[in-house]
């Protein structure tokens, strides 16, 4: 290639262009060094300021921890529900942890006081509360009006199982649970799903937002306690149908309550009368009675009812499951992974022989979130007072109470029970 300049290169008379001069290049280099040094200095200052701010945040967190008793390293942002709970009085918190019943087909004086003034968070309806769907709709609206100052709406519950226990004859499920359990192929699963959703929608139309169903007990066979109420005696079929029923209620935005944990299928008596016993090994329970409850948990069941039954394989002391930490906390929560709300069966049943206030404290100490006292106003007040006193005396931890109320309110918000 030729070393001569291209013919179109302009002649500058042998002089270099100004931007190629030694003086310019030297000056440019100095300027770049100054800018670089300035940038490094600025970066150091920013890091120093950031470190100071971080230190201040840590100091602030330590100050908060020292005044609240919390570990500075464990401080986290409170959820919206936790903020609500933090602003509630102890009496309001205990109110949310109770479900009560009442007499009559309209709110009477006792339930009016309990809901409006004491903040009771749940009401259960029985046959003595029901005349017609229209009457129930008006009654439920009146109950919700009484709860207008609560952080969320009332849970208004009933037992519309579909088997031998149903409070409304003209509301689904249209087939009984045992009949659904006899369906084979996909018919049973789709029926459990669709009939639960349909029943939920019908109940919601009259103001009932909580159904104490499905029954997850594995029947012990013909003539046993759960024979006319459960899906049947096959734990795998029961599990499939329970899981689909829970889905149906969830799809219809209605709180379901899977029951009766840890299982009454082979109980030798009825907890309405006395404390029954299930004398199975742990291996047998895991292979049978607990299988449908596992399916309910896997399908995001919002609430599980723990019943009054002695199961020595789970709690050698012979305590009712509803009052047993071994059953509620160790098994249901820790081993089976249930994160939702735990409610007791009615503490006025014959299976509970201790005073109802003592039983209420024992149930909450065991890990229950909601205690049910379904019939007698005096016993409801006894339970409420006993729980308040137990927290004030330190027998029950208010931190655990806060966790229970947070679970309850989270569930209510999930199922659109906000005001």
């Amino acid at each position: 290639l030729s070393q001569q300049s291209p013919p179109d290169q302009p002649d500058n008379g042998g002089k270099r262009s100004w931007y190629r001069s030694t003086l310019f290049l030297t000056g440019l280099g100095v300027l770049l060094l100054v800018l670089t040094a300035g940038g490094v200095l600025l970066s150091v200052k920013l890091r120093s300021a950031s470190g100071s701010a971080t230190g201040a945040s840590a100091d602030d967190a330590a100050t908060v921890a020292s005044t609240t008793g919390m570990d500075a390293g464990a401080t986290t942002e409170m959820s919206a529900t936790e903020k609500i709970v933090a602003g509630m009085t102890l009496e309001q918190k205990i109110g949310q942890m109770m479900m009560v019943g009442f007499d009559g087909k309209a709110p009477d004086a006792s339930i009016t006081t309990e809901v409006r003034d004491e903040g009771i968070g749940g009401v259960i309806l029985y046959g003595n509360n029901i005349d017609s769907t229209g009457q129930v709709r008006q009654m439920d609206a009146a109950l919700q009006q009484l709860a207008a100052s609560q952080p969320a709406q009332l849970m208004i519950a009933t037992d519309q199982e579909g088997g031998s226990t149903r409070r409304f004859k003209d509301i689904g499920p249209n087939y009984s649970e045992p009949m659904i359990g006899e369906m084979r192929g996909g018919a049973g699963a789709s029926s459990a799903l669709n009939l639960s959703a349909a029943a939920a929608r019908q109940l919601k139309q009259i103001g009932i937002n909580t159904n104490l169903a499905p029954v997850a007990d594995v029947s012990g066979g013909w003539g046993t306690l759960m024979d006319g109420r459960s899906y049947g005696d096959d734990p795998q079929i029961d599990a499939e149908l329970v899981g689909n029923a829970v889905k149906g209620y969830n799809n219809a935005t209605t709180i379901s309550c899977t029951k009766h944990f840890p299982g009454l299928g082979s109980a030798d008596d009825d907890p309405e009368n006395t404390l029954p016993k299930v004398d199975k090994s742990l291996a047998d329970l895991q292979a049978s009675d607990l299988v449908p409850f596992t399916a309910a948990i896997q399908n995001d069941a919002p609430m599980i009812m723990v019943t009054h039954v002695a199961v020595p394989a789970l709690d050698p002391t012979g305590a009712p499951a509803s009052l047993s930490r071994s059953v509620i906390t160790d098994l249901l929560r820790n081993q089976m992974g249930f994160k939702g709300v735990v409610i007791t069966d009615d503490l006025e049943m014959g299976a509970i022989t201790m005073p109802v206030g003592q039983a209420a404290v024992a149930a909450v100490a065991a890990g229950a979130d909601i205690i049910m006292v379904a019939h007698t106003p005096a016993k409801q007040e006894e339970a409420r007072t006993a729980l308040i006193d137990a927290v004030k005396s330190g027998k029950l931890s208010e931190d655990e109470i806060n966790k229970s109320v947070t679970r309850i309110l989270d569930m209510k918000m999930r199922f659109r029970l906000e005001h």
Side-chain angles (χ1 to χ4, degrees):
L1 294 174
S2 171
Q3 299 300 315
Q4 298 178 353
S5 298
D8 57 349
Q9 183 175 348
D11 183 7
N12 55 15
K15 296 179 181 179
R16 293 185 176 181
S17 301
W18 64 271
Y19 53 82
R20 296 174 62 188
S21 68
T22 301
L23 181 62
F24 171 75
L25 292 175
T26 301
L28 181 61
V30 171
L31 179 61
L32 289 173
L33 286 172
V34 171
L35 292 175
T36 301
V40 170
L41 181 60
L42 179 61
S43 176
V44 170
K45 288 183 176 179
L46 288 174
R47 283 198 298 269
S48 175
S50 175
S52 299
T54 302
S57 297
D59 291 343
D60 291 344
T63 301
V64 171
S66 68
T67 57
T68 63
M70 296 170 58
D71 180 2
T75 55
T76 57
E77 181 85 20
M78 293 177 71
S79 70
T81 307
E82 287 171 334
K83 290 177 182 177
I84 293 173
V85 175
M88 295 171 66
T89 66
L90 174 60
E91 290 75 13
Q92 290 171 328
K93 295 172 188 176
I94 296 303
Q96 286 297 310
M97 295 177 65
M98 294 188 64
M99 178 173 283
V100 303
F102 66 100
D103 250 344
K105 298 176 174 60
D108 61 11
S110 66
I111 197 65
T112 296
T113 299
E114 289 177 310
V115 174
R116 184 188 61 199
D117 302 332
E118 298 175 355
I120 296 298
V123 172
I124 180 170
L125 304 182
Y126 288 101
N128 63 325
N129 302 118
I130 298 167
D131 183 31
S132 65
T133 54
Q135 164 262 326
V136 171
R137 184 184 296 110
Q138 292 182 350
M139 177 177 62
D140 291 345
L143 287 168
Q144 292 292 6
Q145 185 61 39
L146 292 172
S149 62
Q150 292 190 18
Q153 293 182 39
L154 276 177
M155 288 170 59
I156 301 181
T158 196
D159 297 281
Q160 188 69 8
E161 299 170 3
S164 58
T165 300
R166 56 191 303 159
R167 304 304 178 198
F168 298 91
K169 302 302 181 185
D170 53 347
I171 290 178
N174 299 322
Y175 305 117
S176 71
E177 291 198 344
M179 188 181 297
I180 296 172
E182 294 171 1
M183 299 178 181
R184 291 298 179 259
S190 62
S191 293
L193 176 73
N194 296 329
L195 293 175
S196 295
R201 287 190 288 269
Q202 290 176 292
L203 290 171
K204 285 176 68 176
Q205 289 175 359
I206 58 174
I208 295 174
N209 52 46
T210 304
N211 194 10
L212 304 182
V215 174
D217 305 275
V218 178
S219 172
W222 186 86
T224 57
L225 182 63
M226 290 293 120
D227 181 43
R229 295 174 67 182
S230 76
Y231 286 114
D233 58 6
D234 186 316
Q236 299 303 324
I237 292 175
D238 288 359
E240 180 183 23
L241 301 185
V242 166
N244 276 280
V246 169
K247 286 182 188 176
Y249 288 113
N250 288 349
N251 291 345
T253 324
T254 293
I255 297 172
S256 64
C257 180
T258 307
K259 61 187 186 184
H260 306 80
F261 190 82
L264 283 172
S266 58
D268 61 2
D269 217 320
D270 189 337
E272 287 279 2
N273 307 314
T274 189
L275 180 64
K277 183 179 179 181
V278 171
D279 204 5
K280 285 185 174 183
S281 69
L282 179 59
D284 286 342
L285 292 168
Q286 291 172 331
S288 180
D289 298 67
L290 299 180
V291 174
F293 292 99
T294 298
I297 294 169
Q298 291 172 343
N299 285 279
D300 206 16
M303 185 161 65
I304 289 178
M305 177 185 289
V306 182
T307 193
H308 318 309
V309 59
V311 188
L314 301 178
D315 188 339
T317 69
S322 54
L323 311 184
S324 169
R325 191 166 183 84
S326 297
V327 174
I328 297 176
T329 297
D330 296 343
L331 175 61
L332 181 56
R333 289 221 184 274
N334 296 340
Q335 295 179 37
M336 298 179 69
F338 181 57
K339 305 298 183 186
V341 172
V342 173
I343 184 172
T344 71
D345 214 337
D346 180 17
L347 294 182
E348 292 193 63
M349 288 182 174
I352 303 299
T353 56
M354 66 179 67
V356 71
Q358 184 180 343
V361 173
V364 172
D369 300 306
I370 298 177
I371 59 118
M372 185 189 299
V373 187
H375 299 285
T376 311
K379 291 185 177 182
Q380 292 160 5
E381 183 58 26
E382 178 189 343
R384 190 183 78 92
T385 302
L387 289 172
I388 293 170
D389 290 345
V391 178
K392 289 181 176 179
S393 69
K395 188 171 184 178
L396 291 177
S397 161
E398 188 160 8
D399 182 57
E400 293 301 315
I401 296 294
N402 292 343
K403 291 177 183 177
S404 286
V405 179
T406 299
R407 278 191 287 267
I408 293 164
L409 294 183
D410 278 341
M411 180 180 70
K412 287 187 174 186
M413 300 310 176
R414 172 187 169 190
F415 288 91
R416 306 297 301 275
L417 299 189
E418 68 274 6
H419 284 298

